[in-house]
Amino acid sequence: MHSKAPLGLKVAAGAGLLFLHLPILLIFVYAFTTEDKSYQWPPPGLTLKWFAVTWNRSDVWEALTLSLKVASISTVIAMVLGTLCAAAVARSSFFGRETVSLLVILPIALPGIITGISLRSAFNLADIPFSFWTIVLGHATFCIVVVYNNAVARFRRTSGSLVEASLDLGATYFQTFRFIILPNIATALLAGGMLAFALSFDEVIVTTFTAGQQQTLPIWMLEELVRPRQRPVTNVVAMVVVLVTFLPILGAYYLTRGTDTVAGQSK
Amino acid sequence: METAVRFDAVSRIFGDVRAVDSVTLDVHEGEFFAMLGPSGSGKTTCLRLIAGFERPTSGDVNIFGQNSTNIPPYRRPVNTVFQDYALFPHLNVQDNVAYGLKISGVGKAERHRAADEILEMVALGGHSKRKPSELSGGQRQRVALARALVNKPRVLLLDEPLGALDLKLREQMQSELKALQRQLGVTFVFVTHDQGEALSMADRVAVFNDGKIQQLDAPQVLYYKPQTAFVADFVGSSNVLPPDMVARLTGRSVQASLRPEAISLSDTGLEGVVAEHSFLGANTRLKVDVSRTQISVLLPKGAQIPNDGDHVNLSWDAADLHVMAGDNE
């Protein structure tokens, strides 16, 4: 239903959006300021030198690489396990199916701090030293949920007789997965993977509890706020984080949009 | 004549439901075989046992003399037309049809040519590049048929393929399917709950109820000589006369079936009261109460139609009263 909104509503909506997005714009502006001691407004001058400074800071590169590695590996783990789990829950019925479904979703419903604390004490109890892999495990817990949710919805909308039809036409189970299942769930998987990547990339709370000495990019930024040196470097990094997390989410949105028709359903 | 499919005391049990209960049957090569029954009677499970989607709990399924119990669906010389067609939504019509050929390693140009050829045969030439979602129900049905037939199966399984079509299209497809089967000589196993469909198309019909075959015969035999009360009622909407009534008429205490159109009104014969009448076009159907049984009578056009509540006498040729050898419960 389309109708003309009253002026007051338009103004209120505009103000709300400004309130949400103006601060982000400010972060971007300060990445170009010439004055780095007190963040004076308006900036006395604009410069690109902070990009060069950031480029030469090895701690930024270390944090960025770590974050990218953690996000990539957690996403891959989540895509494999999340898809398998979704296939099991959507396609077969077994004892405790609903429970499994709930337990998989639980990590994202729980506050991150609970996940973080429980993982930390679990790692301690099991005498697992905190490392790159403990961060990956921590991130995978909530990345699986995103992939699972996307995949299970697509599986439910894909007619089960497609698999039987493929088998009937001579395809083995592997061929059926390759030629029939994968093309039908690919966009959902990609979207789930992108969301998982973005979630992992800017995660702070679980990382705090599961990391040892390593600093992911968001942790590095927190640290910089407390003990700043060359403050606008943080702003430059913030811009990078926004781009790295925003682009996949945008991509996921475009991939899953317009797929409301049920695959394999006859009308 | 070779046996295409043989069931040897096959049962399929889901939990405590005997979906298929010790079924034994033979499907001859080249025949049009129908499995007819109400929903839940086990006919679709039988089809899935032939396709290999189900395994028998006990008994053996043989396909062309080979015990197929442990052969996966993708290695059986059968193809299926699914009830919901199960066309691959991400492939166009041509690639849907060519899928089986692609899997068996036929080159691209060759399989596309074969697909187009069979699409021509089912009157869908020129639709190769469309997606299944752009087709009507009848067209999808033809694509599903072409996709199965292009692999030259030795047995074609059809799971209520006409169920989703409207009446006119269904009648057209019935005669087309029949013609296609004659032309190709492929064994068709056709599952349906529509007795008219089964009787008009099939060479032989297996009537299923509660996981068991009630009767396996040619359509005419099922219609005129039903062996059980279920077959008489389900296949031909025949009257089933209870043993006590048959005892009064013939002296034998058994169930008997009597076709509604075999009965005429006369001055003598079985007495009854007309309960209701309905005009069916070429015929008029009377429901006549005779003691505790209601007997259905089909009067031809031009016959005198009595009023509801009138006393009438029913008579028939002694040969039309068919004593049923089957269940006499």
Side-chain angles (χ1 to χ4, degrees), chain A residues 191-216:
Chain A
M194 283 174 164
L195 285 175
F197 186 90
L199 269 184
S200 162
F201 192 78
D202 70 355
E203 214 285 333
V204 174
I205 303 169
V206 174
T207 320
T208 318
F209 285 97
T210 52
Q213 296 307 310
Q214 304 83 352
Q215 279 192 332
T216 61

Side-chain angles (χ1 to χ4, degrees), chain B residues 201-274:
Chain B
M201 295 167 81
D203 298 319
R204 288 194 306 151
V205 180
V207 183
F208 281 79
N209 191 35
D210 288 336
K212 291 194 180 76
I213 293 186
Q214 296 277 318
Q215 190 171 354
L216 199 174
D217 263 315
Q220 295 80 357
V221 181
L222 285 180
Y223 193 76
Y224 291 111
K225 294 191 158 72
Q227 279 169 10
T228 68
F230 177 83
V231 175
D233 180 52
F234 189 78
V235 175
S237 312
S238 214
N239 294 301
V240 177
L241 307 186
D244 59 324
M245 187 183 286
V246 180
R248 267 187 286 137
L249 295 165
T250 66
R252 291 173 61 194
S253 180
V254 287
Q255 276 192 320
S257 74
L258 184 61
R259 302 225 40 83
E261 67 269 25
I263 304 172
S264 55
L265 301 184
S266 57
D267 300 330
T268 56
L270 200 61
E271 277 177 44
V273 181
V274 178

Side-chain angles (χ1 to χ4, degrees), chain B residues 56-106:
Chain B
T57 310
S58 63
D60 285 322
V61 175
N62 280 270
I63 300 174
F64 289 101
Q66 190 183 15
N67 185 337
S68 299
T69 307
N70 290 314
I71 297 181
Y74 48 87
R75 277 205 229 108
R76 297 187 181 211
V78 304
N79 285 115
T80 308
V81 176
F82 290 83
Q83 190 170 11
D84 66 352
Y85 314 143
L87 300 180
F88 305 128
H90 60 295
L91 300 178
N92 65 26
V93 167
Q94 189 182 47
D95 287 330
N96 258 287
V97 175
Y99 184 79
L101 298 175
K102 174 183 170 175
I103 294 296
S104 57
V106 177

